[in-house]
């Protein structure tokens, strides 16, 4: 799809809704205590982080093209873009959890959560990522809602 059609079909509020759904699914898997769903749980958490942060950026005027072409699936770059945004309540939360986001990004961006890659891996605690999302989503929601109302 071209950028114009992305603009029509994707809003900051829509991205945030997706983030909430991914978080809910990750929470269900995590709370199930099924050991064999570790990678899918981390994938869902990573995707939730990606679209939550992109929701914030989209609501603050960053174009779909920039989100797609310059940030892609890089959680670290996206998080730093949020941190470097003008004064807001979201940046301090992102900065607080940046080390965990960076650690997850290594595997998320390389698609190692979607496609098996052998070897030892070090992941952030799922509880840390869930705590981040629980803290940041409520801060992004009024911003995304305001952007939706402004359209």
């Amino acid at each position: 799809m071209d950028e114009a059609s992305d603009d029509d079909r994707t809003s900051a509020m829509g991205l945030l809704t997706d983030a909430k759904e991914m978080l809910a699914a990750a929470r269900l898997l995590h709370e199930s205590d099924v050991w064999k769903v570790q990678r899918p749980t981390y994938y869902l958490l990573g995707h939730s982080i990606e679209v939550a942060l992109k929701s914030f950026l989209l609501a603050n005027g960053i174009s779909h093209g920039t989100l797609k072409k310059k940030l892609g699936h890089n959680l670290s770059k996206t998080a730093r873009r949020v941190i470097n945004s003008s004064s807001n309540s979201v940046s301090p939360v992102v900065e607080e959890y940046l080390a965990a986001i960076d650690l997850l990004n290594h595997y998320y961006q390389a698609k190692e959560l979607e496609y098996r890659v052998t070897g030892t891996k070090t992941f952030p605690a799922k509880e840390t990522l869930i705590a981040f999302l629980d803290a940041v989503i409520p801060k992004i929601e009024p911003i995304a809602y305001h952007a939706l109302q402004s359209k």
Side-chain angles (χ1 to χ4, degrees), residues 53 56 60 78-101 128 131-137 139-140 143:
L53 296 179
F56 172 81
N60 281 286
T78 304
R80 281 171 176 73
R81 187 75 176 252
V82 170
I83 291 168
N84 293 328
S85 295
S86 59
S87 181
N88 65 75
S89 63
V90 176
S91 294
V93 178
V94 176
E95 198 160 16
E96 179 183 345
Y97 289 92
L98 189 58
I101 293 168
T128 300
F132 166 66
L133 288 160
D134 283 342
V136 81
I137 287 174
K139 292 190 177 300
I140 295 171
I143 298 164

Side-chain angles (χ1 to χ4, degrees), residues 47-99:
H47 198 74
S48 181
I49 291 167
E50 178 184 354
V51 295
L53 296 179
K54 285 183 174 180
S55 168
F56 172 81
L57 293 172
L58 187 61
N60 281 286
I62 303 298
S63 72
H64 287 92
T66 297
L67 295 178
K68 200 179 233 181
K69 294 176 184 134
K70 292 195 176 175
L71 300 177
H73 300 293
N74 188 323
L75 301 178
S76 296
K77 259 181 152 173
T78 304
R80 281 171 176 73
R81 187 75 176 252
V82 170
I83 291 168
N84 293 328
S85 295
S86 59
S87 181
N88 65 75
S89 63
V90 176
S91 294
V93 178
V94 176
E95 198 160 16
E96 179 183 345
Y97 289 92
L98 189 58

Side-chain angles (χ1 to χ4, degrees), residues 21-58:
E21 290 177 1
M22 299 288 174
L23 174 58
R27 196 184 309 272
L28 284 170
L29 289 177
H30 177 60
E31 291 171 357
S32 75
D33 286 328
V34 175
W35 183 81
K36 297 210 177 232
V37 294
Q38 299 301 307
R39 281 185 317 122
T41 305
Y42 277 111
Y43 171 77
L44 289 166
L45 290 168
H47 198 74
S48 181
I49 291 167
E50 178 184 354
V51 295
L53 296 179
K54 285 183 174 180
S55 168
F56 172 81
L57 293 172
L58 187 61

